[in-house]
Amino acid sequence: MIKRKLFAPLLTGVVAVGLLAGCGANKANESGANSEKSEPTAKTAKQVVNIYSARNYDVDALLYKKFTEQTGIKVNVIDGKAEELIERLKREGESTQADLFLTVDGGVLNNAKQAGLLQPVTSETINQNVPKKFRDPDNEWTGLSTRARVIVYSKERVKPEQLSTYEDLTSPAWKGKVLVRPSSSLYNQSLLSSFVELNGEEKAEEWSKGLVANLARTPEGNDRDQAKAIVAGVGDVALMNTYYVGLLLNSDDPEEVKVGQSIGVFFPNQDTSGTHVNISGAGVTKHSKNKENAVKLIEFLTGAEAQTMVTNENFEFPVNAKAELPELLKSWGTFKAQQIDFNKLGAHNAKAIEIMNKTGWK
Ligand code: FE
């Protein structure tokens, strides 16, 4: 009998799950990263699924915990920025320990697919949980939630009747009143990408230029900071993802709750191209060593129970229609969303960044 070397358990101590709320803002959190150099786990080892995640909200940790309780499969997470994780997957190639790649942008999901980093999955459960429009046509990634990038406004100083479209934010009426986070945010890059797709480069550039001309301040902070700046009187309107309104209203910090209560949510472009919506999703990596477990996790994350948790804890829109919505989302009602291929958000990303640089969006 061949003597086997005893391998250290895979990724021991690399459970770095969503300690920082809000995605994309934090640096890769890889405490105990040394142990991740360990050799592949022995067959007798515990069942695991290893995630590279650019999605790190508090609800994610709760979901993984529940999944482990139900299946006995341990979930290990390495958090990082999407582009860093994609580079890492490329670098690691066949030797990667990652089974799943999670991120919050349809364009990035498609980039991972185009780079050959993902593989198709076949699952009746996933197909039933998630409508086709929220899945990659080749099933290389599956949507987990959607998010709308809307206009939020000061309830004190703005009437919703004054609002209409993203384009209108460039009109003289909003001079010095518009707040938005920096152009480095993928949320803004994809918003502008959607305009390139829908209206063409020229119009997209015009919009970016007009928005910059109306800014209340040089872009800084994250989405929630824009809402806080409205309440502080820096500006009157801001571009923001809807779930951050829910997170503010349900914050442990009374000041944040006050901010949430002081702003209104407006879904723009209802009579035109619709409100910009992006998708958060997951794809099984091409060289996954635990594919079955990875598929099981996607099935779980898209199931009614997990989807209800996602929308009630993080206020994103579920992809599974069986999820129960929280009162806040019910109060917003239904809205018209942009009808574009999520893949296009990635296809126009470089152009969007070029436009932002050209028009002085810091
Ligand atoms: Fe976010």
Side-chain angles (χ1 to χ4, degrees), residues 284-357:
V284 176
T285 62
K286 177 135 188 206
H287 301 292
S288 167
K289 317 293 186 291
N290 304 286
K291 183 177 177 183
E292 223 175 283
N293 293 349
V295 173
K296 270 188 203 160
L297 181 53
I298 299 176
E299 289 174 345
F300 170 80
L301 291 173
T302 55
E305 185 192 12
Q307 287 282 300
T308 297
M309 272 174 77
V310 163
T311 188
N312 281 273
E313 300 282 336
N314 207 45
F315 306 96
E316 291 169 88
F317 298 102
V319 289
N320 185 332
K322 290 201 180 99
E324 282 172 42
L325 294 179
E327 288 307 316
L328 179 68
L329 269 66
K330 284 184 193 161
S331 77
W332 292 337
T334 53
F335 65 94
K336 181 183 174 185
Q338 279 178 347
Q339 296 297 311
I340 58 170
D341 181 350
F342 291 115
N343 294 337
K344 297 289 183 193
L345 303 178
H348 297 306
N349 180 266
K351 181 50 76 180
I353 292 172
E354 187 192 313
I355 292 173
M356 287 163 142
N357 289 336

Side-chain angles (χ1 to χ4, degrees), residues 9-239:
L10 183 70
L11 294 166
T12 310
V14 196
V15 187
V17 188
L19 294 170
L20 297 165
C23 50
N26 55 321
K27 291 202 175 88
N29 185 353
E30 298 179 32
S31 49
N34 288 339
S35 55
E36 111 195 63
K37 300 255 189 313
S38 56
E39 297 293 319
T41 180
K43 280 226 169 86
T44 50
K46 231 172 130 182
Q47 289 285 311
V48 293
V49 57
N50 301 311
I51 307 176
Y52 282 4
S53 178
R55 204 202 119 88
N56 33 49
Y57 300 103
D58 292 345
V59 69
D60 299 348
L62 297 175
L63 289 165
Y64 302 148
K65 191 167 165 265
K66 195 157 264 276
F67 174 72
T68 302
E69 281 166 12
Q70 289 183 8
T71 62
I73 300 166
K74 189 169 181 277
V75 180
N76 299 308
V77 183
I78 290 179
D79 285 324
K81 285 189 162 189
E83 61 267 39
E84 288 164 5
L85 295 175
I86 283 182
E87 282 315 307
R88 183 166 172 170
L89 283 168
K90 283 182 188 167
R91 203 169 60 234
E92 291 173 339
E94 281 182 36
S95 70
T96 190
Q97 303 286 16
D99 300 303
L100 263 186
F101 173 64
L102 253 75
T103 190
V104 293
D105 182 274
V108 171
L109 287 164
N110 194 49
N111 289 348
K113 176 190 174 183
Q114 296 303 334
L117 300 172
L118 306 178
Q119 61 170 304
V121 296
T122 317
S123 160
E124 237 347 277
T125 304
I126 294 173
N127 293 351
Q128 278 175 16
N129 286 346
V130 186
K132 226 174 179 167
K133 64 175 174 178
F134 297 140
R135 282 186 273 127
D136 172 56
D138 302 312
N139 287 312
E140 292 202 22
W141 57 261
T142 306
L144 301 175
S145 63
T146 65
R147 44 267 304 285
R149 196 152 183 77
V150 297
I151 300 172
V152 297
Y153 59 91
S154 161
K155 281 184 184 168
E156 213 177 85
R157 299 185 296 279
V158 177
K159 290 192 171 50
E161 301 83 64
Q162 292 170 262
L163 297 163
S164 57
T165 60
Y166 296 109
E167 290 80 0
D168 182 61
L169 292 181
T170 66
S171 75
W174 300 109
K175 182 102 186 151
K177 293 180 177 170
V178 181
L179 291 152
V180 70
R181 74 195 287 176
S183 58
S184 55
S185 158
L186 193 55
Y187 298 155
N188 288 334
Q189 293 169 11
S190 285
L191 176 69
L192 191 55
S193 287
S194 76
F195 297 161
V196 172
E197 172 66 15
L198 289 165
N199 312 324
E201 279 177 44
E202 214 173 293
K203 289 265 187 232
E205 185 176 324
E206 220 172 87
W207 181 79
S208 181
K209 197 177 165 191
L211 191 83
V212 169
N214 277 354
L215 289 180
R217 66 174 180 191
T218 304
E220 62 173 70
N222 57 27
D223 271 16
R224 271 172 285 205
D225 292 327
Q226 311 314 313
K228 289 173 187 173
I230 288 179
V231 177
V234 179
D236 287 351
V237 290
L239 291 170

